[in-house]
Amino acid sequence: MVILAGIILFALLFMGYSHYHKLHKAAELKGSDMAALNSAEKIVEYDALIYGNMKFATEISDALNDLGISSDSVHDINNIDMSRSYRYLIAAGCSDLDNLTVCAMGIKMMDIKKVLAVCNQPHNRKIYEENLIPVIFSGDISPSEIALTLLKYS
C-alpha cells in the first residue's frame, strides 16, 4: 500500500512539473517577439486626460494644446481607459460626484499626480479639500483659465 501511494505521488509530481514547464514555455516571449508586439500596438499617449461634456472638454483640450500639452477627452466615466498613463487630469463634468469619482480613480488607480477638478456647488468644496483635490469653481471660468490653473498646481 505504501509503495502504491509512493508511485501515485511520484506520478502526480511528475505530471505537475511537466504541465508547469509547458505553461512556462508557452508564456515566454522572446525579445524579437516583444518588439514585434510593441510595434504592432503603438498607443498614442497623451499628457492630460479631460473628463466633462464634449463641448467644454474640447475647449479645454484646445487651450492645453495651445500650451503644448496633448490631451485626450472622455465624456463618460465608463469609457476611461485605466491602462493609459497621464501626467494631468482635469475633471470638468457637471456633477461634483462624477468629478470626485474621476479624480479618485485618477489618483488611486491610474497614479496621476497632477489633478484639478471643477467644483460646481460651493458647499462641496470641503469634500474636495478633504481629499486633497485642487478645485476651481465653475461659472464664468474659461477653458484657458482652467488650463493655466492646472499648470499652476503642477
Side-chain angles (χ1 to χ4, degrees):
M1 187 62 143
V2 173
I3 295 174
L4 182 60
I7 293 172
I8 291 173
L9 181 62
F10 178 76
L12 288 174
L13 287 173
F14 179 74
M15 286 176 26
Y17 173 76
S18 75
H19 285 284
Y20 171 79
H21 186 66
K22 287 178 185 175
L23 283 173
H24 191 273
K25 280 264 193 206
E28 274 184 2
L29 281 177
K30 305 276 188 242
S32 60
D33 295 338
M34 185 63 92
L37 181 65
N38 286 339
S39 66
E41 293 183 21
K42 286 280 187 193
I43 296 176
V44 175
E45 293 295 329
Y46 297 99
D47 292 322
L49 174 62
I50 305 167
Y51 167 77
N53 72 52
M54 189 181 313
K55 183 178 183 290
F56 196 49
T58 302
E59 291 172 355
I60 295 171
S61 179
D62 291 343
L64 287 172
N65 194 34
D66 290 344
L67 296 170
I69 298 172
S70 63
S71 62
D72 185 20
S73 55
V74 177
H75 317 295
D76 183 357
I77 291 175
N78 297 318
N79 293 336
I80 295 175
D81 185 355
M82 304 295 280
S83 67
R84 295 216 170 175
S85 61
Y86 301 93
R87 292 176 45 211
Y88 307 104
L89 168 65
I90 298 174
C94 297
S95 163
D96 283 331
L97 179 59
D98 288 348
N99 290 345
L100 283 163
T101 302
V102 168
C103 287
M105 287 170 48
I107 293 168
K108 294 179 180 177
M109 299 173 75
M110 299 172 71
D111 199 32
I112 301 174
K113 303 289 186 217
K114 297 165 178 123
V115 175
L116 177 66
V118 174
C119 180
N120 297 292
Q121 301 295 324
H123 61 271
N124 288 331
R125 178 183 185 151
K126 185 175 180 181
I127 299 171
Y128 287 100
E129 290 173 348
E130 288 172 353
N131 289 286
L132 305 174
I133 299 170
V135 296
I136 192 166
F137 289 98
S138 65
D140 293 333
I141 187 135
S142 71
S144 59
E145 288 175 298
I146 292 173
L148 291 171
T149 302
L150 175 70
L151 295 179
K152 181 176 92 174
Y153 286 115
S154 301

